[in-house]
Amino acid sequence: MTMLRVRDIYVRFGGVVALDRVSIDLNRGEILGLIGPNGAGKTTLFNCISGVVQPDAGRIFFDGRSLRRVPPHERARRGIARTFQNLQLWKSMTLLENLAVPMDALGRRSTIADALGNPLSRFAERATMERARAILHVLDLDAHANSLAGDLPAGIQRRVEIARALAMRPKLILLDEPAAGLDAGETKRLADLLNAVRERFHVSMLLVDHDMSLVMRVCDYMYVLDFGKILAQGRPAEIRSDRKVIAAYLGEPNPELPAAPDGAVQPVITSADRKDGTPALPTGAPLLGVKGLAAGYGALEVIRDVNLVVRPAEIVACIGANGAGKTTTLRAISGIVKPRAGRVFFGGRDITGRTPERIAGMGLAHIPEGRGLFPRMSVEDTLLLASDNTGQRVDPSVAYEVFPRLKQRRWQAVGTLSGGEQQMVALARALLARPRLVMVDEMSQGLAPTIVRQLFEMLSVLRSKGIAVLLVEQFVESALEVADRAYIFEHGTAGHEAPAAELRADRKLISGSYLGSAVDEPAAIPSEANGNGHRVDVELMEVLSLKVPPSVKRAIEERATREGRSAGAIALELLEGVKH
Amino acid sequence: MILGHPVRLAVAVAAFLMLALIPAGFDVGLKFDAALSVVWAFGILSIVLLTGYVGQVSLCQATFAGVGAYAAGMMFNTFHAGYVVGIVVGVVAAFALGVLVGLPALRLRGITLAIVTLAIALVFDKYVFQDHIFDWFSGGSGGWRVDGANLLGLPADSSSHLLAGYEVLLALFVLVALLMVNLHQSGAGRRFRAIRDSELAASTMGVNLTRYKLLAFGLSAGIAGLGGSFYPLIAGSVSPQPFWVFTSLQLSAIAVLMGVRYVPAAALGGFFMAFVPDILTRYGHGTFMGHSYDISYDWFSLALGALLIVQLILLPDGVWGDLHGHVAKAMAAVRVHTQRRVRVA
Ligand SMILES: Nc1ncnc2c1ncn2[C@@H]1O[C@H](COP(=O)(O)OP(=O)(O)OP(=O)(O)O)[C@@H](O)[C@H]1O
Ligand SMILES: [Mg+2]
């Protein structure tokens, strides 16, 4: 049965037609993939379905009812949840609170009763928290239950976005690039999780992601968008071999050689080329030297005793599981986070503790994971800002050659660009500043496969011009393909260093399975009660939801305190008693 | 416990008793300052709710207090109602105006919203509180006089029983402050904070933005109006001057100075707003080493501006926000210390 029907949706922003009469159908229990180049309109379609953008024409039906003029919160209550490509967690609230908001939006709760803290409110509150904990448990987020969402690394925040969407007990989840910034192992676990969620909770999903390993693994059916139009649709196997899709989005179907020069383009020197002939690794005085670096946030020390060097015209990759300290290392080098111990040398000078502006001015460009853009500034102005670092005026047209898409968008405010277009702006700005060393955090995040491939090629070009690169990258395989050396991060320190060629041979490393060993248990959906008495089950959620008569709730609460067990366990017991 | 954690309740009662008793030894001027400090504490509390919890900007909070004050004065004078009725009408009127002011907030945010609310403050200041068309509401050029009022039989006239009004208002403040703390932790409080952190996420996760923003504006205005409705009682009369635009700006500035996300900051801010200007006028002139000086009321704004700059650099979360962590630590240390002494004894 069709659960979501989108008919002839048309959206334009000024001169840009973001969606041009798009129609899609999604059946109950199905995972539908939506792929397409950056700026194709995928997020815009999500915005139309969740009600934050009004289409200029077209209709959307959910469960047979029209969504016309239905406000976003009402769509949420009808069962449409979503995650955001540009993370939108409530940063100053704990994870439990983040999950609680959508949960009690479903029930009717009175503000006055809440302020008075009356007993019913307090029971509902406890039930909410119980369910929130259960969901955090499923997503392996227990350890962070009371952390503020904004304090967590981006990779974990992405998982919280999914948890928050699940907390709404939706019928349909719209997932906007959930695998961005996840390495191969983590992406595999995400795929397992999505499959398990679908099976246990009968949730349908609409999935946007540029990581084909995820999309191909979980989707039943796919749509491909290009320039706001449906370019193709079909089963994953059909899409993978569709010539139009390959041309517009996937690129040459040989993922083994992403950095290989394809004939006429610029001369590309991959590290593989170097092996025959020139010395394998650049030698000489290091451009960047890091000795015994330690840094952290508040009481938390995230990295300690990090040692690494980058020589001129060398590409160095940092690899390691999410939370291993890569991002913090880059931040400490570029001065965004104050180092607590250790020294950083750049171009022979000690730059430890200098301000980020001064460090950038010396030719060390840092493209942070959050992109660091000003949302109201136009693309062109953002690029011109790069001149502030070199003292001379830059020529944005160089950037437009690399990213032609940006040229069409040059007067658009950066904040309204698609996620991938924003990433292009961040990269272009850094390169225009003519740095001696570029540090890129998750370069390929949010970018379509063809562009990712181009960018890896561009890194080789940079190297041939004498620019060094320090890279943190989710696609470990591609990173190692182009890199000269790599540092493997573990538990907040750069434990191990090796030539990239050596690591490339190590399949286990590339598949992410031993990198992520610390968090490697497969995403477990507990089907039976686990130790805490949490049991994530549709029925349990039903009992704990607010439709239960207050007298029953009170009885449950009393028994829970008397027997010192969780309310959830008792509710479940009662429920089973009723059923038998 | 209806009002939240027993310890919190005990602290609140202790604070009330202390603050209620201290002004008994004051002269009349300082007694009035004490009462006024609670009126402004309500004003700042209303900003804690609206800005600290929900992230909305308003530069007309003193206007809401003024509406409460004039409505109460009008009920007392024109309808000869008991003063308690005046208070209720004042709060309801302020709440209603708050909801109206909240309407533009459904579309606007940030600086634009600030300017719209500032314009509302100007309109009320220049016209509603001062223009003769609204004499029925403002009591004409002389304003309303409130003599011989009582609160449910409790004599509370400003000339003979100034402290009665003060104590009732203080009790109400403690009550509302406790409710605010409860609200913060409750489901509704979470929805408010969700709107503050990301409206986009809040609306798509089931929070009705229209309803909760209007509710926030209404509640906030009602809180300001409750404080304001006591003003005629404790001052004996009401005039436009205390509720003019500049007061709104000062309230906002002091809220930020003290910590806009924290309920206790409202109490600190109320003190500051009522006592500091008066103390400056009293003791801020004289001669020093042969030079006469005069740092009276005019210097208050200057001092406030300077303090704000220092605070933004040193205490970005406000005086209370940044210091209460240290206070809590010190209290814990004291507790450990006394426990040890008890055990020894
Ligand atoms: N508010 C807006 N104003 C102007 N243009 C907009 C606005 N929102 C989106 N666009 C444009 O509409 C197009 C589609 O954007 P959308 O975010 O839907 O792309 P996308 O498919 O999600 O891309 P990505 O893969 O990069 O996330 C883009 O070219 C974008 O610049
Ligand atoms: Mg997008």
Side-chain angles (χ1 to χ4, degrees), chain A residues 50 52 72-73 76-77 80-84 88-93 97 100-102 104-105 108-112 114-119 122 125 128-129 164-165 168, chain B residues 1-4 178-180 182-212 215 219 261:
Chain A
S50 58
V52 290
H73 65 91
R77 288 177 198 179
I80 303 177
R82 74 174 286 186
T83 69
F84 292 88
Q88 291 283 343
L89 293 178
W90 298 303
K91 292 194 159 114
S92 63
M93 296 164 68
E97 288 178 322
V101 170
D104 42 38
R108 292 255 166 254
R109 289 182 57 180
S110 134
T111 307
I112 305 296
D114 280 354
L116 288 170
N118 85 342
R122 277 185 297 128
E125 178 72 14
T128 302
M129 286 304 163
R164 186 175 64 175
M168 247 174 52
Chain B
M1 190 61 53
I2 292 272
L3 285 172
L178 283 172
L179 292 180
M180 286 263 302
N182 264 356
L183 182 69
H184 187 268
Q185 297 307 11
S186 72
R190 281 192 298 258
R191 265 161 279 170
F192 280 148
R193 286 181 286 144
I195 292 175
R196 176 187 69 193
D197 282 6
S198 165
E199 280 187 22
L200 182 61
S203 67
T204 52
M205 294 292 144
V207 178
N208 184 341
L209 290 185
T210 308
R211 177 169 163 183
Y212 280 95
L215 183 65
L219 285 178
R261 284 162 46 195

Side-chain angles (χ1 to χ4, degrees), chain A residues 198-331:
Chain A
R198 166 189 27 201
E199 246 151 62
R200 277 203 75 75
F201 301 112
H202 311 288
V203 181
S204 317
M205 295 178 211
L206 187 52
L207 171 67
V208 167
D209 210 288
H210 292 297
D211 187 338
M212 287 307 108
S213 71
L214 175 69
V215 179
M216 296 290 170
R217 196 176 275 144
V218 301
C219 291
D220 304 301
Y221 195 82
M222 292 173 64
Y223 287 87
V224 184
L225 270 181
D226 190 23
F227 290 109
K229 288 198 173 80
I230 303 271
L231 182 73
Q233 63 185 80
R235 310 215 155 266
E238 296 159 21
I239 294 295
R240 204 187 332 227
S241 51
D242 187 307
R243 303 184 59 100
K244 277 183 299 180
V245 179
I246 291 169
Y249 180 63
L250 293 174
E252 54 192 275
N254 191 352
E256 268 5 351
L257 293 167
D262 57 341
V265 273
Q266 294 114 324
V268 174
I269 313 159
T270 71
S271 57
D273 291 337
R274 279 173 195 240
K275 256 181 292 172
D276 7 302
T278 49
L281 298 175
T283 48
L287 178 61
L288 175 75
V290 173
K291 291 205 175 72
L293 193 65
Y297 312 96
L300 197 68
E301 187 166 81
V302 179
I303 56 166
R304 79 204 112 72
D305 199 25
V306 171
N307 297 294
L308 57 83
V309 293
V310 180
R311 298 189 180 83
E314 186 184 34
I315 301 180
V316 177
C318 300
I319 51 184
N322 245 321
K326 296 163 295 180
T327 295
T328 308
T329 301
L330 297 199
R331 285 184 182 162

Side-chain angles (χ1 to χ4, degrees), chain A residues 42-43 85 176-177 208 418-420:
Chain A
K42 305 177 295 294
T43 301
Q85 180 176 9
D176 202 348
E177 304 202 15
V208 167
S418 85

Side-chain angles (χ1 to χ4, degrees), chain A residues 320-385:
Chain A
N322 245 321
K326 296 163 295 180
T327 295
T328 308
T329 301
L330 297 199
R331 285 184 182 162
I333 292 173
S334 67
I336 295 173
V337 170
K338 282 264 168 294
R340 292 186 180 172
R343 309 232 67 89
V344 181
F345 299 93
F346 182 68
R349 274 189 282 172
D350 188 343
I351 58 164
T352 323
R354 291 204 184 171
T355 62
E357 300 80 49
R358 285 191 60 194
I359 293 176
M362 294 173 67
L364 199 167
H366 180 199
I367 306 167
E369 200 173 8
R371 302 191 188 114
L373 299 170
F374 304 104
R376 299 198 178 196
M377 207 180 257
S378 74
V379 172
E380 178 119 345
D381 287 343
T382 306
L383 295 180
L384 286 172
L385 210 61

Side-chain angles (χ1 to χ4, degrees), chain B residues 46-76:
Chain B
S46 77
I47 298 174
V48 171
L49 175 64
L50 192 66
T51 307
Y53 287 14
V54 200
Q56 306 298 304
V57 193
S58 161
L59 295 179
C60 61
Q61 295 303 107
T63 305
F64 297 134
V67 166
Y70 278 107
M74 177 187 72
M75 291 310 290
F76 186 78

Side-chain angles (χ1 to χ4, degrees), chain A residues 437-495:
Chain A
L437 169 68
V438 189
M439 300 197 294
V440 207
D441 202 349
E442 300 295 4
M443 174 182 75
S444 56
Q445 179 162 322
L447 294 176
T450 39
I451 296 188
V452 171
R453 209 159 300 148
Q454 279 172 25
L455 282 177
F456 276 114
E457 286 170 16
M458 195 180 71
L459 292 183
S460 317
V461 175
L462 289 179
R463 174 173 52 195
S464 67
K465 289 181 180 163
I467 299 171
V469 180
L470 184 60
L471 192 64
V472 170
E473 178 53 51
Q474 58 174 323
F475 294 127
V476 177
E477 195 165 2
S478 309
L480 290 178
E481 207 66 53
V482 69
D484 300 294
R485 285 186 303 123
Y487 288 92
I488 298 172
F489 277 71
E490 237 175 334
H491 309 301
T493 193

